[in-house]
Amino acid sequence: MVITNILVPFDGSTYSVKAFNAALDIAQKHDARISILTCLEKENLGAWYVDKKVNKQIIKDAKKFAIGFLSKLEKTAKSSGVLLSIQVLETKSISKQIVDFANSKKIDLIVIGSHGQSGFNRFLLGSVSNAVSQSAKCPVLIIK
């Protein structure tokens, strides 16, 4: 199997950091590039009850925070000699967005944490990682 494009869905959780580190190791061994994808789920930003201006500001602030955090990963990848790109997208369905992104960018491997930031969903195998592993066309490596 040839691996040239790796996708790491990233939500800031411990598991997504572990997934990034695993992807970085794989990328170094296969001379691959990494795409980091952070999805902001519109309905879960806590602003459904306020006007659209406030909601837009919350999304803008969340994107700015995410990009700031992800720039640290970019520095780590660069120092390891791995090309890395960052995308922060708004979505209604995180798992669907991840699969659609993987398909559109011709991703060879998705490396995803087994659990994310969601509270109740931690009870099971993370609902996002489970949905991605069931729907993705490429191999999915789930990191515990």
Side-chain angles (χ1 to χ4, degrees), residues 16 20 44 48 59 70 73 75 77 88 103 114 116 130 144:
S16 65
F20 169 74
N44 286 335
W48 60 268
I59 290 170
L70 296 172
L73 300 181
K75 288 177 187 173
V88 179
N103 291 338
S114 60
N130 185 45
K144 290 186 186 184

Side-chain angles (χ1 to χ4, degrees), residues 105-126:
K105 299 297 182 182
K106 298 185 172 129
I107 297 296
D108 303 308
L109 175 67
I110 299 172
V111 182
I112 188 169
S114 60
H115 297 82
Q117 292 283 14
S118 55
F120 176 75
N121 290 330
R122 291 185 67 135
F123 180 73
L124 305 168
L125 173 65

Side-chain angles (χ1 to χ4, degrees), residues 33-87:
R33 63 184 310 133
I34 296 175
S35 294
I36 300 286
L37 176 62
T38 294
C39 296
L40 302 176
E41 196 171 21
K42 294 176 188 179
E43 282 76 25
N44 286 335
L45 291 176
W48 60 268
Y49 52 87
V50 238
D51 69 40
K52 289 184 181 187
K53 269 189 185 175
V54 174
N55 201 11
K56 284 181 183 180
Q57 186 61 47
I58 290 171
I59 290 170
K60 183 178 175 184
D61 291 345
K63 280 184 180 179
K64 184 177 178 182
F65 176 80
I67 290 169
F69 188 89
L70 296 172
S71 67
K72 295 174 188 173
L73 300 181
E74 193 170 32
K75 288 177 187 173
T76 301
K78 188 175 184 177
S79 70
S80 299
V82 174
L83 291 175
L84 183 135
S85 63
I86 295 171
Q87 292 286 327

